[in-house]
Amino acid sequence: MRKIIDWIEHRTGLETAVRNFLYEDIPASSGWHQIIGSAAVFFFIIQVFTGGLLAFNFAPTPGDSYNSVRYIMTELTGGRLIRGLHHWGASMMLIIVVLHMLQVFLYGAYKKPREATWMIGCVLLLITLVFGLTGYLLPWDNRAYWGTVVTANITGSAPVLGPYLTRLLGSEMGVSRVTFSRFYALHTILLPPLVIILIGIHIYLVRKHGVAPAVGDTAPRRKFFPEQVFKDTVGVAFAFIILFTLAVVADAPLGRLADPTDTAFTPRPEWYFLFLFQTIKFFKGPLEVVGAVVLPGVAVLTLFLVPFIDRGPMVRLGKRTFAFGIAILGILAWSSLTTAAVLTTPPNPEENGLAATSESETSIQAWQHLSPPELQGLALFRKENCKACHPGGGKQGIGPDLTKLPADHRNAAWLVPHFQNPSKVVPGSSMPPVQLKDAELNALSAFVLKLTPDNEGSIMSAPDYVVQGALVYQDNHCNSCHQVAGVGQKLGPALDGVGERHDRAWLEQHFRDPQGTSKGTIMPPYKFSAEDMDALCKYLLQLPKAS
Amino acid sequence: MEETHSHEPAVELSPTRRNFYILFINGAMGLIGIALAIPAAIYLLFPPKARKASQWVKTADLSSLPAGKPTEIAFQRTRADGWQLITEKTTAWVVKQSNNDVVAFMPNCTHLGCAYHWDDASHTFICPCHTSYFSIDGKVLGGPAPRPLDRYAVKIDSGVLEIGPPEAHA
């Protein structure tokens, strides 16, 4: 063994290099507060490792990326764990990086001659945030897509540079495949080497100037290894246990495939951006750019300039009152903004893209079994914003859980009068009357009666195009001749599974000229607006076969 | 390098303490390494959980197949290709000896996968790549093929031949 090491040492000098690195002198005052930086490096390594593993099975185009993430989560053994490590690792990495920065800030270790180290650290923080941002889009579920739409809009609102940034993001027509490719390239190809180089420079600079000693520390210096390395390892092990536990018990989220036409979805960024999301709400109209770009820009610039703002000599931690004040203020501001964001943003319906069986292309979702009147009911439910008081998903709302209605309420005879005049049917109710026509109230009640705790999540997440299509179907009284899901008349053929028999072009032609397309039919021609035709065709084409 | 490499004696650790630190460092990092390496290996090496791609495909009417003469039939099958279900056209060599005795051979030679064909004159399946040849019931008659022709599972349903998944080879 010794001979092999000697051979390597003689050819490369590796043993000496490692020895010099490990036996670096550090101040006697070094301690537990300085382990956070190593934890950050360690988490970066974990992200690269798990990210690389994910990239082995990831399809880098929008839409297909979603399928591949599903595949990783449900069909590959260990896939759920690897993705979990990567997802929770990203959040933990950000926390650790911020804690590291906080420690350096409080101790004043950014002061001369360590200003360059600090500024590179600031760049590293920003890049960590960009990693989070770019990675967020890649699964291409509703959460990813819509969160990025907001980010792209904010970027586009930047003064002067806005339009150029939009072009760089490929988002002139909204978040697009180009945006996806650029985010993927940044996340996997461009930023990793950049970060590795910057971490290298950062560590080099720490070594060059030495770990910052506490004020007045003149005690004999100690060696980095093994004592400080031991403390680093304890920190790393502790953080890793937390990460691994999270990855095992909590699924990394995967909602439903992104639907750019779904205007009902509330965009949310990742949790660490919620404070910014909330700040923007205070600045309405033309002032929005102040909250979205100017304030954050000023904050980041100030962060960079900290070593030039605070030029005084290093003082004891206990005397850093102003620094502590700023830090506490910052933490309070961030926490309250984040909490406000969480409390005030309406939740989205539970979107669990993993709930379906692994045959995602062939499995039938619960909402696909709804008849056209029931889907019309869902459209009305959304339009009337019933979920404001009946949030569903087991959550406590002002109104009762609609999946658990008592038996005597589970019929149209009770529900329709209740919609028309709630406080008369349920004395003391604060529910406002539902102002809809009778046929619409019937559809709404048919919909409500369909809900069970098991299918609620799927039904509530029925894509918008399906619901709109069902509305066109209902408005044109298609069920006076046709049947869907057992509802309707039998004058014309049942439409279940029509997508397996005919394609879009055939359907459109059939609406325009039924006699020419289907000889002998009594179906009259229909003139639809482009929007209605689109919605109706999409709705019909996804109808599952009759079970 | 400025202040770091001083040559004053640094604080010395007691040997037991030092050994404890080193043991802990190696142990903890070793465990972390294993906790990452094992899931990674499983993730990379275990096959994906089987998806129910349509296993059985209706192909030809039995009556259309000549008895005793291998016929190459083409059919569409869906199979899992990673995260997609793809529909692809594929072929099988079908030999019907009687209405109860039908075999469907997979179209790839068992040597290195080339497409073989039936040669009427020699009454054998011949592979052009390395001249393996097989009898009408798939047995290796010559050439480098290591085993008889692989087969698909077959079943007959109301006079129609259905081809299923590949059978495990002997």
Side-chain angles (χ1 to χ4, degrees):
Chain A
M1 192 59 205
R2 184 69 243 172
K3 287 175 80 164
I4 299 177
I5 296 179
D6 282 343
W7 188 96
I8 298 176
E9 165 62 11
H10 194 231
R11 295 338 179 251
T12 68
L14 186 64
E15 191 191 3
T16 311
V18 171
R19 214 168 261 285
N20 284 345
F21 184 84
L22 289 179
Y23 287 97
E24 187 81 355
D25 282 329
I26 58 175
S29 56
S30 307
W32 290 97
H33 56 284
Q34 278 143 331
I35 65 176
I36 315 179
S38 329
V41 173
F42 175 75
F43 267 72
F44 176 69
I45 294 173
I46 293 201
Q47 291 305 97
V48 170
F49 181 68
T50 54
L53 287 173
L54 290 174
F56 264 44
N57 285 300
F58 180 74
T61 41
D64 214 18
S65 66
Y66 177 86
N67 295 332
S68 66
V69 173
R70 254 187 140 271
Y71 169 75
I72 290 172
M73 297 284 284
T74 59
E75 292 179 47
L76 290 181
T77 318
R80 189 180 155 275
L81 179 68
I82 303 280
R83 182 170 180 241
L85 289 170
H86 196 75
H87 175 80
W88 299 114
S91 287
M92 285 189 70
M93 169 115 191
L94 194 72
I95 294 174
I96 288 172
V97 161
V98 169
L99 285 176
H100 173 60
M101 182 169 237
L102 197 63
Q103 180 265 314
V104 171
F105 176 76
L106 290 174
Y107 277 74
Y110 50 76
K111 291 173 191 268
K112 178 175 165 181
R114 297 177 175 86
E115 304 97 318
T117 324
W118 169 266
M119 292 198 289
I120 295 205
C122 291
V123 176
L124 284 170
L125 172 66
L126 292 177
I127 295 182
T128 309
L129 287 168
V130 176
F131 264 117
L133 205 87
T134 49
Y136 194 66
L137 176 65
L138 301 181
W140 201 262
D141 58 2
N142 267 325
R143 187 174 162 267
Y145 176 84
W146 287 105
T148 309
V149 166
V150 174
T151 309
N153 287 338
I154 290 176
T155 314
S157 73
V160 181
L161 291 178
Y164 301 104
L165 290 172
T166 301
R167 211 169 294 168
L168 273 180
L169 284 185
S171 59
E172 277 163 309
M173 305 290 288
V175 170
S176 66
R177 328 182 71 72
V178 173
T179 315
F180 182 97
S181 284
R182 294 187 186 187
F183 274 35
Y184 179 72
L186 277 169
H187 193 84
T188 58
I189 302 175
L190 297 172
L191 290 178
L194 182 63
V195 169
I196 290 172
I197 293 172
L198 287 175
I199 291 177
I201 299 178
H202 190 75
I203 293 178
Y204 161 75
L205 287 175
V206 170
R207 290 272 154 147
K208 175 176 167 56
H209 298 296
V211 172
V215 176
D217 175 14
T218 47
R221 302 173 72 82
R222 298 191 275 152
K223 295 291 178 191
F224 178 57
F225 181 86
E227 189 167 357
Q228 188 66 19
V229 176
F230 164 77
K231 292 177 182 166
D232 284 349
T233 309
V234 170
V236 156
F238 183 62
F240 184 76
I241 289 172
I242 294 178
L243 173 66
F244 203 85
T245 310
L246 276 172
V248 167
V249 308
D251 262 343
L254 186 67
R256 299 196 60 81
L257 178 65
D259 178 8
T261 64
D262 186 354
T263 45
F265 193 88
T266 313
R268 307 276 299 281
E270 187 60 288
W271 66 267
Y272 37 83
F273 284 121
L274 283 174
F275 75 100
L276 200 60
F277 187 63
Q278 187 68 12
T279 310
I280 297 170
K281 294 183 193 170
F282 296 127
F283 296 87
K284 306 256 193 294
L287 283 180
E288 204 175 64
V289 69
V290 174
V293 179
V294 175
L295 281 184
V298 166
V300 166
L301 194 63
T302 316
L303 202 65
F304 264 86
L305 295 177
V306 157
F308 304 99
I309 297 170
D310 175 17
R311 290 182 204 249
M314 255 183 100
V315 296
R316 268 196 316 113
L317 187 66
K319 286 196 140 97
R320 296 270 293 162
T321 2
F322 190 61
F324 268 95
I326 303 263
I328 290 173
L329 212 68
I331 294 171
L332 280 176
W334 181 88
S335 320
S336 46
L337 285 168
T338 305
T339 314
V342 169
L343 292 177
T344 60
T345 315
N348 283 310
E350 272 303 303
E351 292 215 334
N352 191 348
L354 298 167
T357 65
S358 63
E359 305 157 50
S360 56
E361 291 85 342
T362 53
S363 69
I364 309 296
Q365 307 295 317
W367 51 261
Q368 288 180 286
H369 288 300
L370 293 178
S371 67
E374 287 158 355
L375 281 171
Q376 180 189 13
L378 172 56
L380 293 166
F381 185 92
R382 288 181 177 170
K383 179 164 150 274
E384 298 293 313
N385 199 20
C386 305
K387 72 172 186 213
C389 297
H390 298 280
K395 298 205 223 341
Q396 188 65 13
I398 302 170
D401 186 337
L402 298 174
T403 65
K404 301 196 174 116
L405 294 177
D408 57 340
H409 295 185
R410 296 198 74 93
N411 55 71
W414 188 92
L415 284 171
V416 172
H418 176 71
F419 292 142
Q420 288 167 323
N421 198 339
S423 48
K424 182 150 159 268
V425 174
V426 179
S429 163
S430 58
M431 172 169 158
V434 181
Q435 320 256 23
L436 293 171
K437 300 194 279 264
D438 282 352
E440 292 175 319
L441 291 176
N442 281 322
L444 187 59
S445 95
F447 164 72
V448 169
L449 289 173
K450 196 76 183 178
L451 293 171
T452 70
D454 288 325
N455 67 22
E456 187 198 17
S458 168
I459 286 184
M460 289 301 187
S461 63
D464 196 50
Y465 71 84
V466 164
V467 172
Q468 294 308 317
L471 274 179
V472 175
Y473 183 98
Q474 288 292 94
D475 288 339
N476 286 279
H477 307 289
C478 303
N479 59 0
S480 43
C481 293
H482 290 285
Q483 249 194 12
V484 170
V487 173
Q489 301 298 327
K490 295 187 183 171
L491 279 165
L495 297 175
D496 309 274
V498 66
E500 297 190 22
R501 303 190 285 280
H502 299 294
D503 63 11
R504 169 84 182 240
W506 189 95
L507 282 179
E508 293 202 14
Q509 183 58 18
H510 195 270
F511 283 126
R512 284 193 283 269
D513 178 21
Q515 313 277 352
T517 326
S518 273
K519 293 256 178 307
T521 182
I522 57 170
M523 172 168 163
Y526 284 87
K527 250 187 150 59
F528 296 123
S529 71
E531 263 174 2
D532 280 355
M533 176 70 96
D534 189 51
L536 182 57
C537 286
K538 281 185 179 157
Y539 166 65
L540 291 172
L541 287 168
Q542 60 77 42
L543 287 174
K545 285 215 300 267
S547 37
Chain B
M1 298 259 179
E2 301 162 14
E3 319 110 42
T4 50
H5 287 302
S6 70
H7 295 289
E8 296 147 20
V11 173
E12 283 299 322
L13 288 174
S14 77
T16 24
R17 202 177 230 200
R18 192 187 155 74
N19 287 338
F20 166 71
Y21 285 161
I22 295 177
L23 188 67
F24 183 88
I25 292 167
N26 288 324
M29 295 312 278
L31 282 175
I32 290 176
I34 292 174
L36 288 171
I38 292 185
I42 292 176
Y43 169 83
L44 288 172
L45 297 173
F46 277 34
K49 297 176 189 162
R51 297 181 83 180
K52 263 176 65 270
S54 72
Q55 302 277 35
W56 289 92
V57 184
K58 286 192 180 24
T59 58
D61 242 335
L62 269 188
S63 49
S64 68
L65 296 170
K69 183 171 146 65
T71 322
E72 192 176 20
I73 59 167
F75 56 100
Q76 299 259 45
R77 77 171 333 131
T78 53
R79 71 174 175 91
D81 179 11
W83 46 88
Q84 298 271 22
L85 271 182
I86 60 170
T87 314
E88 54 182 12
K89 186 157 157 270
T90 185
T91 60
W93 281 99
V94 175
V95 184
K96 176 178 101 168
Q97 300 291 17
S98 76
N99 275 354
N100 298 327
D101 179 8
V102 182
V103 166
F105 293 116
M106 294 178 68
N108 310 100
C109 177
T110 51
H111 177 224
L112 291 175
C114 292
Y116 60 85
H117 58 273
W118 174 254
D119 179 50
D120 257 337
S122 63
H123 212 67
T124 56
F125 289 106
I126 299 182
C127 180
C129 288
H130 307 99
T131 58
S132 296
Y133 49 109
F134 309 84
S135 67
I136 198 174
D137 54 355
K139 281 209 279 287
V140 181
L141 296 174
R147 61 176 192 274
L149 290 176
D150 296 324
R151 303 173 178 214
Y152 288 111
V154 292
K155 67 181 182 207
I156 296 152
D157 190 12
S158 347
V160 173
L161 174 67
E162 288 196 17
I163 295 191
E167 274 177 2
H169 41 77

